[in-house]
Structure formats: structure tokens, C-alpha cells
């Protein structure tokens, strides 16, 4: 049966590649974008897949509600929600330098609260479907036990909080047949740092393929905790 998938942050980078990859598999993809491209219309793909872009700024209650309403009007359920949209914030300053707390609050509002906003709005549709899989794109930077950085305050703390959010949601939906998967996509050559990260080892398309492979491999069983996996499917420490 055709899968219905919602992905946030698909303007660029990994999110754009994830939308393409799922549509090429025949899924009906709702792709959250900050800005609709001019003349945008649903894009049909091989195997009956489509990409329908919906305006979605994760920091906006209204836009999250409108995006969920569009999905509700179009389909009776979602199989998969992929929380991918995020921003980085400053990664250089340590606590010995002035820190931009307003920027940190913005990072938290998008990466953590925005993700929860969207998940909450889409949860009834996700639980109405047969798959009930919530995928949170996190980062190794959110692992507290393996942390060796001295900066990256906004981003690293936001991803640690996203991991906690994932655990809370996993506990909530597990007995309803749902589960949460937390994925670190690897070091991906995107523009998240403001310029192309040429040191990165994976292209967005390669990282998207690994995300899909991880989801395929993860099976349907929900353990006590969400799986927190690296791109090769190895378990990361919390
Ligand atoms: N790149 C890496 O090495 C790496 C490593 C670990 C984890 N990740 C994670 O992978 C995911 C994708 O990152 P990426 O590397 O592909 O970076 P990216 O290209 O910057 O993608 C992030 C996406 O989120 C969008 N976005 C920004 N602000 C938003 C908002 N307020 N509401 C909704 N969407 C918003 C961006 O739009 P604009 O581009 O228009 O701003 C972009 O489409 C993120 O969750 C990131 O934390 C990436």
C-alpha cells in the first residue's frame, strides 16, 4: 500500500533528498518548506509517488496547524513523520566569550519545540495509520555521554533535548503500537553552517539512502527506549 510520509525542512540538504527518496519509492510525500518555489505544484514520480510541498516554519504555531490541516484534508493517516528541519546556531564560542542567548532560544524553539509542535499536530494522523513511526533526525552532538566539545551550546543542547523528547513520546505511543527512532545522519555535505560543508563525507543523497536503510532495518518492534542510531545502524550512547 502507498505510504504517506511527512518530512520537515525539505527546502535543502538532507530533507530535500529524503523527500525525493521516498517519492521515488512510491510514497505520497508531504514536504515542509519555509518557502514554496514559484509556480509550485505537486510533483508526480515513478511508482505513483508524489511530493506535495507545504509551507512550514516550525517556530510558527499557525503554520504548523495549517500544515497539519492540509495533510488531514488530503489523507486519512500518515505512516511516517520525519522531523528533519533544524538550525545550527553558533558553534565556535565557548563560555569564555559572549554568548548569544537570543539565538540559542531561537535554535531551541525550532529544533526542540518546533519538532514537538509538529509531532503533536500530526500525532492523531500517525496513530491512525498502520506504521506509527516517528523519526527524529538528531545528531551525535546530542549524546551527553560521548560529548567532547567545548562549544556548540545551542545545537548540542537542542539535540540532547530532542533525544529526551523522543524518549517521552516513545513512552507515550509504545502501547498504542507506535515507536520513535532517533537517527544521526552522519556528517553531511549541506549548507547548515552557512557555506557548503566540504569536509563532510556524505552527500545529502547518500545520507538519505542510509536513513531509509536504517528505517527499513529497524523493524516494527518497539523496545523500552527509542533506538538512537548512527548512519550504519550502530547504537549510539545517550
Ligand atoms: N549536516 C550534517 O552534518 C548533520 C549532522 C548531524 C545531524 N544533522 C541533522 O540533519 C538534519 C538536516 O540538516 P542538513 O544538514 O540537511 O541542514 P540544512 O540543509 O540546513 O537543512 C535544514 C532544513 O531545515 C530548514 N529550516 C530552517 N529553519 C526552519 C524552520 N524554522 N522551520 C522549518 N524548517 C526550517 C532549512 O531551510 P533553509 O535551508 O531554507 O534555512 C533546511 O531546509 C537536521 O536536523 C540536522 O540537525 C545534520
Amino acid at each position: 500500500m502507498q505510504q504517506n510520509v511527512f518530512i520537515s525542512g525539505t527546502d535543502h540538504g538532507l530533507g530535500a533528498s529524503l523527500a525525493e527518496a521516498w517519492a521515488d519509492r512510491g510514497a505520497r510525500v508531504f514536504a515542509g518548506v519555509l518557502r514554496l518555489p514559484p509556480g509550485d505544484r505537486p510533483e508526480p514520480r515513478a511508482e505513483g509517488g508524489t511530493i506535495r510541498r507545504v509551507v512550514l516554519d516550525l517556530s510558527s504555531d499557525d503554520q504548523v496547524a495549517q500544515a497539519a490541516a492540509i495533510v488531514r484534508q488530503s489523507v486519512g493517516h500518515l505512516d511516517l513523520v520525519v522531523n528533519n528541519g533544524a538550525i545550527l546556531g553558533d558553534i565556535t564560542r565557548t563560555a569564555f566569550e559572549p554568548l548569544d542567548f537570543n539565538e540559542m532560544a531561537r535554535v531551541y524553539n525550532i529544533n526542540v519545540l518546533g519538532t514537538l509542535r509538529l509531532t503533536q499536530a500530526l500525532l492523531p494522523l500517525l496513530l491512525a495509520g498502520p506504521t506509527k513511526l516517528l523519526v527524529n533526525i538528531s545528531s551525535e552532538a546530542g549524546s551527553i555521554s560521548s560529548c567532547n566539545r567545548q562549544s556548540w551550546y545551542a545545537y548540542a543542547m537542542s539535540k540532547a533535548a530532542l533525544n529526551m523528547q523522543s524518549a517521552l513520546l516513545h513512552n507515550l505511543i509504545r502501547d498504542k503500537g507506535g515507536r520513535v527512532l532517533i537517527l544521526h545522519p552522519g556528517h553531511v555535505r549541506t549548507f547548515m553552517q552557512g557555506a557548503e560543508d566540504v569536509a563532510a563525507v556524505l552527500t545529502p543523497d547518500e545520507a538519505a539512502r542510509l536513513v531509509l536503510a536504517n528505517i527499513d532495518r529497524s523493524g516494527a518492534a518497539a523496545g523500552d527506549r527509542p533506538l538512537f542510531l548512527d548512519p550504519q545502524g550502530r547504537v549510539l550512547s545517550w
Side-chain angles (χ1 to χ4, degrees):
M1 207 164 79
Q2 187 174 35
Q3 285 206 308
N4 300 325
V5 180
F6 193 104
I7 309 168
S8 67
T10 68
D11 308 69
H12 305 108
L14 176 63
S17 294
L18 286 173
E20 299 283 341
W22 254 298
D24 286 345
R25 275 188 172 191
R28 193 185 283 116
V29 178
F30 296 91
V33 287
L34 286 175
R35 287 164 291 276
L36 284 179
D40 184 61
R41 61 177 65 153
E43 291 174 23
R45 295 301 162 98
E47 316 290 337
T50 52
I51 298 180
R52 175 167 179 188
R53 293 188 183 80
V54 293
V55 174
L56 177 64
D57 181 336
L58 290 165
S59 67
S60 161
D61 291 336
D62 288 348
Q63 286 194 14
V64 168
Q66 281 161 18
I70 289 171
V71 180
R72 237 182 344 263
Q73 284 154 17
S74 312
V75 291
H77 75 269
L78 286 169
D79 293 280
L80 213 66
V81 173
V82 184
N83 283 305
N84 167 80
I87 60 172
L88 189 60
D90 176 76
I91 57 172
T92 60
R93 291 185 208 167
T94 72
F96 292 140
E97 293 145 280
L99 293 170
D100 186 341
F101 291 99
N102 287 330
E103 183 195 65
M104 284 194 215
R106 184 169 148 68
V107 172
Y108 194 85
N109 191 29
I110 293 170
N111 296 8
V112 187
L113 305 183
T115 298
L116 186 55
R117 264 184 206 103
L118 182 66
T119 295
Q120 185 180 34
L122 297 179
L123 206 50
L125 286 162
L126 190 66
L127 293 180
T131 313
K132 302 178 185 27
L133 176 59
L134 180 63
V135 177
N136 286 338
I137 303 295
S138 184
S139 170
E140 49 74 31
S143 166
I144 293 172
S145 57
S146 66
C147 176
N148 55 17
R149 292 179 172 86
Q150 298 182 355
S151 58
W152 293 61
Y153 281 92
Y155 185 78
M157 291 192 302
S158 79
K159 292 298 188 180
L162 177 62
N163 290 356
M164 174 55 85
Q165 180 185 131
S166 305
L168 295 167
L169 286 162
H170 187 80
N171 291 345
L172 180 71
I173 65 176
R174 197 179 40 201
D175 65 355
K176 296 173 177 53
R179 68 197 167 98
V180 182
L181 195 55
I182 310 173
L183 297 181
H184 165 53
H187 191 182
V188 191
R189 195 179 308 163
T190 64
F191 287 76
M192 199 175 213
Q193 300 193 14
E196 189 174 15
D197 187 354
V198 290
V201 289
L202 295 169
T203 66
D205 285 352
E206 288 166 346
R209 277 196 289 277
L210 292 170
V211 166
L212 263 64
N214 250 336
I215 291 172
D216 291 344
R217 258 196 315 263
S218 70
D224 288 347
R225 297 273 168 263
L227 284 172
F228 179 23
L229 302 175
D230 80 359
Q232 283 70 42
R234 292 174 297 225
V235 172
L236 288 166
S237 61
W238 288 78

